[in-house]
Amino acid sequence: AILCLDLGTVTGFAIRFRNGAVLSGTRAFTPRRFDGGGMRYLRFRGWLDEVLWHCRKIEALFFEEVRAHAGTDAAHVFGGFLATLIAWCEEHDIAYEGVPVGTIKRHVTGKGNASKQAVIEAVRALGHEPEDHNEADALALLHWVIDTGAVRGMARDRKSTRLNSSDTDITR
């Protein structure tokens, strides 16, 4: 399977199985009232384990690489998800790659600075019904991966799983 993620407190995901079927949705990792600072990341890691169990094997994982954030808190939260994700991929020997937001938007809309609504509409035109911009971003990323042949072009470093190039319900 190929797993594409839009990381955040509400994480969008899109999975393409070997048979071509696509499963997408969102998963919220909102902190609860009495949670410690790391609980959202532990829940995220548990969810990744659940996704892997359902998929049996993940050949590659792609995530939306955000370089500018709305604020400091958003940057810290993204960094926590990213660190958790990369460590998890390394642990499970899963190749991973971050793809810049502008690259994804340009691919599905023709415009690198397209609005969230424009991405949602472009993904709908591709035959999907995303519930929000998080799911739409993950689906847009999946289409970039498929259309560019990013998985076929993966050359894996011997020392790391990091790439060299710059019917289950798992939504609950």
Side-chain angles (χ1 to χ4, degrees):
I2 299 167
L3 176 58
C4 294
L5 299 174
D6 176 27
L7 298 173
T9 299
V10 177
T11 292
F13 69 89
I15 304 167
R16 182 169 186 200
F17 296 94
R18 286 187 164 264
N19 66 3
V22 173
L23 175 66
S24 65
T26 60
R27 180 67 188 262
F29 299 101
T30 308
R32 298 179 187 147
R33 184 172 180 189
F34 298 108
D35 278 355
M39 285 306 297
R40 76 166 77 206
Y41 307 113
L42 289 174
R43 279 198 294 278
F44 176 58
R45 183 180 179 82
W47 177 76
L48 288 170
D49 288 338
E50 185 180 337
V51 171
L52 179 59
W53 185 86
H54 285 296
C55 291
R56 309 269 190 278
K57 181 177 183 193
I58 296 174
E59 285 85 17
L61 187 148
F62 294 84
F63 60 92
E64 186 181 75
E65 190 171 49
V66 181
R67 301 208 179 192
H69 295 275
T72 305
D73 287 345
H76 289 170
V77 168
F78 178 81
F81 281 115
L82 184 58
T84 303
L85 178 66
I86 289 173
W88 183 84
C89 286
E90 293 286 354
E91 179 182 347
H92 294 283
D93 197 30
I94 296 171
Y96 59 91
E97 182 177 355
V99 181
V101 175
T103 300
I104 300 163
K105 288 183 174 191
R106 190 175 307 105
H107 182 75
V108 295
T109 69
K111 195 173 173 188
N113 63 349
S115 68
K116 292 177 182 189
Q117 189 58 41
V119 173
I120 291 171
E121 290 169 10
V123 167
R124 285 187 175 142
L126 292 168
H128 304 285
E129 285 298 325
E131 67 182 56
D132 67 10
H133 67 89
N134 301 299
E135 182 178 358
D137 288 350
L139 285 162
L141 176 54
L142 179 63
H143 279 275
W144 177 87
V145 169
I146 293 166
D147 296 345
T148 63
V151 173
R152 285 188 305 276
M154 289 181 156
R156 298 203 29 186
D157 184 320
R158 292 180 188 268
K159 296 179 184 173
S160 170
T161 54
R162 174 103 172 121
L163 296 180
N164 291 329
S165 68
S166 285
D167 302 333
T168 54
D169 182 11
I170 56 175
T171 60
R172 296 174 206 232

